[in-house]
Amino acid sequence: MLGDEAELTAAVLAAQDGDETAFRTVYRAVHPRLLGYIRTLVGEPDAEDVASEAWLQIARDLDRFEGDADRFRGWAARIARNRALDHIRMRGRRPAIGGDETELTGKPAEADTASEAMEALATGDTLALISQLPQDQAEAVVLRVVVGLDAKSAAQTLGKRPGAVRTAAHRGLKKLAEMLGAEAAAGSAADSADGLGAVPPQPGRGRAARAPMSSAGVTDSRPRTQKDM
């Protein structure tokens, strides 16, 4: 283990010995990603409350935890998921969990297919897009990419097979890449429209100024030839 992983493991061990500063270090390292996962389960309005309940349990049960940084993230994610599902049941809403793993037997997409989406997941806008995915894909994406769990730990959190989680994550990332591409195209079109609107009409002379509009509303802009001169 190197860098942040080793530091988080050391902080977890120190927190288990009662070091409050170490516990704050663990909280700062894990909470933002854990909160992102909880948002995919209960939505924005209730996420902070559920996260608080999860951290209360994490603090209470920390002395019983065994493992390194990766195992801790998986353990914390399972606690957060259980608290989220309890919250959903208490409020009488339908649990926000989609399909079972039998729907995920297709071959996973190539990793490169979703690399751009994975890199963009740090932004709040992309996390908002995740909520539009089927719930099984949303959870798999957040656990694998945002929380940072490996397939085995994510599968233990969800109660599914690692292969099913990999497939759900790949499908979700592929869909995210498509949504990000669509948003980028729409933004580019809007920017172009704004730019055109900002340019004042230029006075023209001769036949070019009187060029007829096509049926699509675009001015005939074909190159002028000697016959046109």
Side-chain angles (χ1 to χ4, degrees):
M1 294 178 295
L2 298 173
D4 293 343
E5 290 294 291
E7 291 176 9
L8 179 56
T9 298
V12 169
L13 292 173
Q16 287 180 302
D17 290 334
D19 187 329
E20 293 184 2
T21 300
F23 186 83
R24 286 194 291 271
T25 298
V26 172
Y27 178 86
R28 287 194 296 268
V30 176
H31 176 70
R33 296 183 177 194
L34 199 66
L35 181 62
Y37 175 46
I38 294 170
R39 284 193 182 110
T40 69
L41 296 170
V42 301
E44 179 67 36
D46 299 331
E48 291 283 358
D49 289 341
V50 173
S52 295
E53 294 172 7
W55 278 104
L56 285 173
Q57 182 176 345
I58 291 169
R60 186 181 69 239
D61 297 344
L62 185 59
D63 60 342
R64 289 185 276 176
F65 169 74
E66 295 182 1
D68 58 11
D70 187 65
R71 286 181 180 273
F72 179 82
R73 282 191 291 265
W75 179 71
R78 287 193 295 276
I79 290 175
R81 189 173 195 267
N82 289 336
R83 296 289 70 77
L85 296 182
D86 287 345
H87 181 81
I88 291 168
R89 285 190 289 267
M90 182 180 66
R91 298 210 177 255
R93 295 185 305 218
R94 182 179 179 182
I97 303 173
D100 62 59
E101 64 187 24
T102 60
E103 300 171 358
L104 306 174
T105 55
K107 181 180 179 181
E110 294 295 326
D112 291 343
T113 303
S115 59
E116 292 183 2
M118 291 174 72
E119 292 173 0
L121 281 174
T123 68
D125 289 344
T126 309
L127 286 173
L129 287 178
I130 292 176
S131 65
Q132 300 178 34
L133 295 173
Q135 191 64 29
D136 58 327
Q137 296 178 16
E139 286 198 71
V141 167
V142 174
L143 286 175
R144 295 279 279 126
V145 182
V146 179
V147 179
L149 303 185
D150 60 22
K152 182 178 179 180
S153 296
Q156 290 174 344
T157 299
L158 298 173
K160 296 185 176 183
R161 296 190 301 267
V165 173
R166 289 191 193 96
T167 302
H170 278 294
R171 289 182 177 179
L173 287 167
K174 183 177 180 181
K175 181 63 176 177
L176 277 177
E178 292 171 356
M179 289 192 288
L180 287 168
E183 283 204 343
S188 177
D191 291 343
S192 297
D194 290 343
L196 288 173
V199 178
Q202 301 296 315
R205 295 181 181 178
R207 293 182 60 181
R210 298 192 298 273
M213 298 293 287
S214 72
S215 59
V218 179
T219 302
D220 182 3
S221 57
R222 60 185 175 85
R224 295 175 69 183
T225 64
Q226 288 185 344
K227 184 178 179 181
D228 295 324
M229 297 297 184

